[in-house]
Amino acid sequence: MQAIDTLVVGAGVVGLAVADALARAGREVVLVEATGLIGSGVSSRSSEVIHSGIYYPPGSAKARLCVRGKQLLYEFCERNDVPQRRCGKLIVAPRADQVAALEALLARGQANGVTGLRLLDRPAVQACEPALDVHAAIASATTGIVDSHALMSALARRAQDHGAVLVFKTAFERAQPHAGGWRVRLADGGGGLDCAARRLVLATGLNAPTLARAIQGLPPARVPVERYARGNYFALAGRAPFARLIYPVPEKDGLGVHLTLNLAGQARFGPDVEWIERPGFEVNTARLAPFYGAIRRYWPGLPDGALRPDYAGVRPKIYEPHEPAADFRIDGPRAHGLAGLVCLFGIESPGLTSALAIAEQVQAELRD
């Protein structure tokens, strides 16, 4: 039975960041991915936004890791020629009765240590984005966009440069404690294979809870029930009259139907929040009509017929629709009592922004 030091399962942006951090720390790392590509799941269907850290409760893992991750991400992109742009963002209050919520959000961001935030009144908003019709906005200077695929490719290259081995079309089946580490069963299309790993990291996004239930000794109470929320995106025909990302005041379960830009300047709107029973990446075109109403609350000039279906992502939720939003779960030995095991649950937005900081925490959890 082959023995390795650290086995990382899942080659999305977080799994790649974890493999990179551990390899650079001198660990022998094998990263296994069930598909034939890196980042082919949730990581390939994000808005590619580098978030500032303004939205999350002070003291939460999301707040801490987003702020730290943003710093690390910009540094990584600059050093590794990953395309990115600090385009900035406006979080807007279309109605007068939303200004108080905007002020509370500003205070939250400042409590989280987010820099580059300021409150704009209506004239100031229209001076920088004339197409908007809102009462006030928060300007976030550190929000940006990134080429997520180039980011993942760069992480994979650096991890491999430091000795990490990437193995594709190999799925995790189960694990059990074995000789001071883990005996892991993998399925590779050829009958499967067993390996011994001193450390095991589960970073598989949507199906992390399902796979965690196949880890012998992991207390069932420590494994959340998986839930799924689809986010539909609709692209704008032509160029948008905006230089920044435009977000409404946040709503329950999401950040509202907002405008994002890619590095080529193409605008898209979304995602919305559509709770679904099982993962599905098809755009629900029945959601299109509400998009027009939501967007016209802050951009009344949106032309009829300007939106077309683009793509959809699925958020790995670990709470019910009626419950408060859950924090990131980075469950290491201190959480479940099993040495050498880290399970990542509920890594939705801002997971892309936070990926390098999440990797730092996983590394800390696995220190002897």
Side-chain angles (χ1 to χ4, degrees):
M1 181 170 58
Q2 184 177 3
I4 58 176
D5 182 85
T6 304
L7 179 68
V8 180
V9 184
V13 66
V14 173
L16 289 164
V18 169
D20 170 61
L22 294 174
R24 288 187 297 112
R27 301 286 188 197
E28 177 200 19
V29 177
V30 175
L31 173 61
V32 295
E33 165 58 39
T35 72
L37 300 168
I38 63 171
S40 61
V42 173
S43 296
S44 67
R45 296 171 175 270
S46 76
S47 60
E48 300 189 305
V49 171
I50 303 174
H51 288 284
S52 68
I54 190 174
Y55 294 110
Y56 317 108
S60 66
K62 285 184 177 181
R64 174 175 53 84
L65 295 171
C66 183
V67 173
R68 171 64 174 161
K70 174 185 62 177
Q71 173 191 347
L72 295 173
L73 182 53
Y74 278 128
E75 292 173 355
F76 179 87
C77 290
E78 290 166 3
R79 292 173 181 171
N80 294 276
D81 297 322
V82 175
Q84 54 81 24
R85 185 167 74 246
R86 301 192 197 204
C87 57
K89 175 172 76 173
L90 295 182
I91 306 171
V92 301
R95 305 191 314 266
D97 63 0
Q98 293 177 313
V99 174
L102 206 63
E103 293 170 340
L105 185 61
L106 176 63
R108 171 176 283 191
Q110 292 169 337
N112 289 342
V114 180
T115 59
L117 300 176
R118 59 193 179 102
L119 191 64
L120 307 180
D121 60 13
R122 182 193 289 271
V125 173
Q126 292 192 323
C128 62
E129 295 288 2
L132 289 176
D133 183 12
V134 299
H135 284 268
I138 296 171
S140 170
T142 62
T143 300
I145 52 178
V146 64
D147 183 333
S148 61
H149 298 278
L151 170 64
M152 289 187 284
S153 294
L155 284 168
R157 284 196 303 272
R158 192 169 74 167
Q160 290 173 303
D161 286 345
H162 286 84
V165 176
L166 274 64
V167 182
F168 295 104
K169 296 186 178 180
T170 301
F172 173 91
E173 285 195 342
R174 61 183 180 271
Q176 64 187 70
H178 172 75
W182 297 91
R183 179 169 180 164
V184 182
R185 179 68 173 178
L186 302 171
D188 62 357
L193 58 94
D194 291 313
C195 68
R198 187 176 179 192
R199 298 169 183 85
L200 173 63
V201 181
L202 194 63
T204 55
L206 292 175
N207 64 352
T210 300
L211 296 183
R213 294 187 191 98
I215 299 176
Q216 183 178 323
L218 186 61
R222 295 301 313 172
V223 181
V225 176
E226 55 270 70
R227 298 285 183 263
Y228 311 108
R230 178 161 50 202
N232 298 282
Y233 290 85
F234 293 87
L236 179 70
R239 294 187 70 87
F242 302 107
R244 300 162 183 81
L245 311 184
I246 310 297
Y247 282 55
V249 173
E251 61 186 32
K252 186 181 183 302
D253 297 327
L255 302 181
V257 173
H258 48 268
L259 176 143
T260 60
L261 303 166
N262 64 20
L263 290 163
Q266 175 64 47
R268 67 173 77 92
F269 290 92
D272 58 355
V273 179
E274 180 189 3
W275 290 86
I276 53 179
E277 290 296 319
R278 59 185 60 84
F281 292 102
E282 305 81 11
V283 175
N284 183 353
T285 56
R287 311 281 289 193
L288 177 58
F291 266 64
Y292 280 96
I295 296 163
R296 285 172 174 156
R297 291 174 194 144
Y298 55 85
W299 180 28
L302 172 67
D304 289 337
L307 301 180
R308 58 173 175 77
D310 196 7
Y311 67 97
V314 178
R315 304 172 182 90
K317 301 287 190 181
I318 53 172
Y319 60 94
E320 298 279 3
H322 61 275
E323 295 176 333
D327 203 359
F328 287 159
R329 288 266 305 272
I330 303 173
D331 287 10
R334 289 175 293 180
H336 49 59
L338 298 174
L341 174 67
V342 177
C343 297
L344 304 178
F345 299 123
I347 309 297
E348 52 176 328
S349 182
L352 173 66
T353 307
S354 306
L356 296 171
I358 291 172
E360 283 187 335
Q361 183 163 334
V362 170
Q363 186 177 2
E365 293 283 346
L366 291 176
R367 289 195 181 105
D368 291 334

